[in-house]
Amino acid sequence: MLHETAFNSLPLRAIKPSGWLKSQLEIQASGFTGHLEEQWKDVGDENGWLGGQGESWERGPYYVDGLLPLAHLLEDETLIAKANRWIEWSLASQQENGMFGPARITSVNQDIDKEQDWWHYMIMLKVMMQHEEATGDERIIPFLTKFFTYVHSVIEEQPLRGWAQTRGAEMLLCIVWLYRRTKQPFLLELADIVAAQTTDWSDIFHDFPFWRKVEEWDWTTHVVNVAMGIKTPGVLFELSGNPVERDSVHRGIDSLMTYHGQAHGMFSGDEWLSGTHPSQGVELCAVVEYMFSMEQLTRIFGDGRFGDILEKVAFNALPAAISPDWTSHQYDQQVNQMICNVAPRAWSNSPDANVFGLEPNFGCCTANMHQGWPKLTSHLWMKDREDGLVAVSYAPCTVRTTVGLQGVPAVVEVTGEYPFKDRVQIHLSLEYEASFPLSLRIPAWCDDPVITLNGRELPFQVQSGYARIVQN
């Protein structure tokens, strides 16, 4: 049996952006995310995930992993149609044995050998989960079940390796998601196998060995792998309930910030962990993946610390690496950056890695950058074990969900221009009277928080970074 998480995510489309956040998503839609296939052939008609003969590894799945939630959050039918092309092709590609995806795997960055590579499928699994939550598409559960039945039959002969081994938690997320909906026992058995094949991030983060600038690339020091790997102990906690996993996460974050921390909330990584000097870079892929990891750790552990990190990274590191109109980006950003130019720097990447463009250095960030703002939006609010509401962040939005044991329809409207102003207004309306808890995250930087209800100040205590209020 799975261990219960502190919170549960709301399905995609339950939270709709408003105010500055909606404007930001609209800018994103008008820029790269809405038009990337027109400018970059790697995600155009020739992509292997659309049936073409072009790039067929991670770039297509990366792109749609941000395109799809953006499309549904904005209710943009043109973008939804673009995202659905990838969904429909993937569904139609499923073979009788359950496998799906391009028959021939090609990548512009490396040779793909004949051994099974599970990594790029993991990204498309996350896309399918979001699509099902947004649309209720009844084909997704059987599709995923059939695929994981196949994986279960071959995973020990064709184990995780390389990227998939270090990023196995991405597959575990989908296995757990599917088990909670189907309760099929083989999924838990598969989860145990995948967990055993995944890099032991719990041990790495618990007793962190990388306490100085790393001098060469390694699977466990590559900054994107680290940003993704930090949630692995949390996902394992969901499987086992072992409290050591929680300790590993906190110790890992402490170590990363002590030995590689940067002012914008990220740790350095101009390809690998690179120490605390502010001239070292941080890869954009790591920024959006670290945000997603914090969203998942919030869901699993319910600790306000992860919301603090999520906001710091989202409001500092994310916008710094992308042009205001979303028509260019950096591969590596620097916190002391005074100029963007082609020049040698004390990092492993090419001299153009910090210039703004379509594809500076590697194109992975061109494909992967799109998930940052949409996934932040879809995780602004969650629900606790009592079907109470949880405010993770206070960016302007409207939430439509149900609350309490009776499932009373509720609408939450958040205004106040947070984080640009430190006063937030929350208007809650219920279809009929109900009693349920409301948990409000109190940012660690907030020294004197005040909560008022209809003008009356409420007493509260903060536990694990949240003020929990219950009105009978």
Side-chain angles (χ1 to χ4, degrees):
M1 296 297 291
L2 293 178
H3 187 79
E4 285 299 313
T5 58
F7 303 148
N8 292 309
S9 297
L10 295 175
L12 183 61
R13 296 186 74 122
I15 304 171
K16 292 296 175 63
S18 59
W20 71 262
L21 182 57
K22 183 178 182 182
S23 296
Q24 180 62 51
L25 294 184
E26 290 172 340
I27 292 170
Q28 182 175 339
S30 298
F32 267 165
T33 310
H35 301 277
L36 189 59
E37 83 286 354
E38 302 165 16
Q39 309 295 327
W40 199 45
K41 67 179 182 179
D42 284 5
V43 297
D45 290 341
E46 284 304 302
N47 187 277
W49 288 91
L50 293 173
Q53 298 301 308
E55 208 274 346
S56 58
W57 191 45
E58 66 179 7
R59 293 188 178 183
Y62 263 156
Y63 173 52
V64 73
D65 190 34
L67 170 66
L68 185 142
L70 177 70
H72 285 287
L73 290 169
L74 292 178
E75 298 182 332
D76 186 316
E77 293 301 326
T78 298
L79 294 187
I80 290 172
K82 287 186 177 185
N84 282 347
R85 290 182 64 202
W86 302 84
I87 298 294
E88 293 301 328
W89 188 89
S90 293
L91 289 173
S93 74
Q94 189 163 48
Q95 303 168 31
E96 193 60 36
N97 64 6
M99 192 58 164
F100 73 102
R104 175 174 170 269
I105 302 172
T106 60
S107 168
V108 297
N109 285 336
Q110 64 181 62
D111 294 327
I112 304 296
D113 61 35
K114 295 181 180 180
E115 293 185 82
Q116 178 64 56
D117 180 7
W118 297 105
W119 159 235
H120 50 305
Y121 298 99
M122 297 180 188
I123 314 170
M124 192 56 76
L125 295 177
K126 293 189 288 185
V127 173
M128 291 296 184
M129 291 160 56
Q130 293 176 91
H131 173 73
E132 193 278 337
E133 291 183 357
T135 67
D137 190 331
E138 295 180 353
R139 299 173 295 172
I140 301 303
I141 299 297
F143 172 86
L144 294 176
T145 301
K146 190 174 182 179
F147 173 68
F148 282 127
T149 299
Y150 171 74
V151 175
H152 185 257
S153 70
V154 301
I155 192 66
E156 292 185 296
E157 290 74 32
Q158 300 176 24
L160 306 184
R161 61 190 181 87
W163 299 108
Q165 184 177 16
T166 54
R167 300 173 177 183
E170 312 304 310
M171 181 178 281
L172 288 173
L173 283 173
C174 189
I175 295 172
V176 169
W177 182 91
L178 186 62
Y179 176 79
R180 291 195 182 279
R181 285 155 178 77
T182 67
K183 297 297 188 291
Q184 295 201 33
F186 88 92
L187 290 170
L188 290 185
E189 182 177 331
L190 175 60
D192 288 339
I193 296 171
V194 171
Q197 293 183 4
T198 299
T199 298
D200 190 352
W201 288 107
S202 299
D203 182 64
I204 291 171
F205 289 128
H206 193 275
D207 297 299
F208 193 71
F210 309 118
W211 44 271
R212 57 164 65 108
K213 181 179 178 180
V214 177
E215 297 300 332
E216 61 183 21
W217 196 94
D218 180 85
W219 292 108
T220 57
T221 60
H222 174 56
V223 65
V224 183
N225 288 349
V226 174
M228 300 171 86
I230 192 64
K231 67 176 168 291
T232 304
V235 179
L236 296 178
F237 179 84
E238 203 168 348
L239 294 174
S240 68
N242 187 343
V244 172
E245 305 293 359
R246 186 195 304 265
D247 293 340
S248 292
V249 171
H250 286 290
R251 286 168 65 101
I253 293 173
D254 290 343
S255 295
L256 285 169
M257 297 313 293
T258 297
Y259 303 117
H260 307 283
Q262 301 281 302
H264 47 37
M266 285 295 302
F267 39 89
S268 68
D270 34 57
E271 217 56 45
W272 51 69
L273 298 174
S274 301
T276 59
H277 195 285
S279 290
Q280 297 299 151
V282 178
E283 183 182 338
L284 179 52
C285 275
V287 173
V288 295
E289 292 295 354
Y290 197 49
M291 288 173 59
F292 182 64
S293 288
M294 292 304 110
E295 291 154 4
Q296 295 305 310
L297 291 173
T298 295
R299 174 184 64 84
I300 294 166
F301 293 122
D303 192 321
R305 180 188 193 186
F306 306 124
D308 290 334
I309 296 171
L310 172 62
E311 286 190 338
K312 188 170 185 178
V313 172
F315 300 148
N316 292 277
L318 178 61
I322 304 170
S323 66
D325 62 358
W326 263 77
T327 60
S328 63
H329 78 285
Q330 295 175 293
Y331 185 84
D332 281 327
Q333 63 176 286
Q334 299 164 284
V335 294
N336 70 347
Q337 184 170 283
M338 300 300 292
I339 188 172
C340 301
N341 65 343
V342 178
R345 288 177 169 81
W347 55 33
S348 64
N349 289 315
S350 63
D352 69 347
N354 90 325
V355 302
F356 283 82
L358 172 65
E359 189 184 353
N361 206 70
F362 296 125
C364 52
C365 296
T366 309
N368 194 22
M369 60 190 281
H370 312 274
Q371 66 169 304
W373 288 119
K375 290 187 181 178
L376 172 70
T377 304
S378 64
H379 292 90
L380 291 173
W381 286 72
M382 297 186 184
K383 294 172 76 171
D384 65 17
R385 296 184 190 177
E386 300 175 50
D387 256 3
L389 293 171
V390 179
V392 177
S393 183
Y394 300 101
C397 66
T398 299
V399 185
R400 298 183 184 276
T401 185
T402 59
V403 294
L405 299 178
Q406 291 75 37
V408 178
V411 178
V412 179
E413 295 180 82
V414 182
T415 58
E417 297 304 310
Y418 182 91
F420 308 104
K421 298 180 181 179
D422 58 8
R423 181 180 176 88
V424 178
Q425 292 84 44
I426 301 173
H427 182 267
L428 172 65
S429 58
L430 304 175
E431 190 167 296
Y432 51 89
E433 187 174 313
S435 177
F436 61 92
L438 174 65
S439 296
L440 304 173
R441 189 183 125 258
I442 306 300
W445 53 260
C446 184
D447 294 329
D448 298 301
V450 175
I451 300 175
T452 62
L453 175 63
N454 298 328
R456 177 173 58 90
E457 188 169 327
L458 295 179
F460 64 90
Q461 292 183 333
V462 178
Q463 293 184 343
S464 298
Y466 288 86
R468 192 168 186 270
I469 300 168
V470 179
Q471 291 287 301
N472 294 317

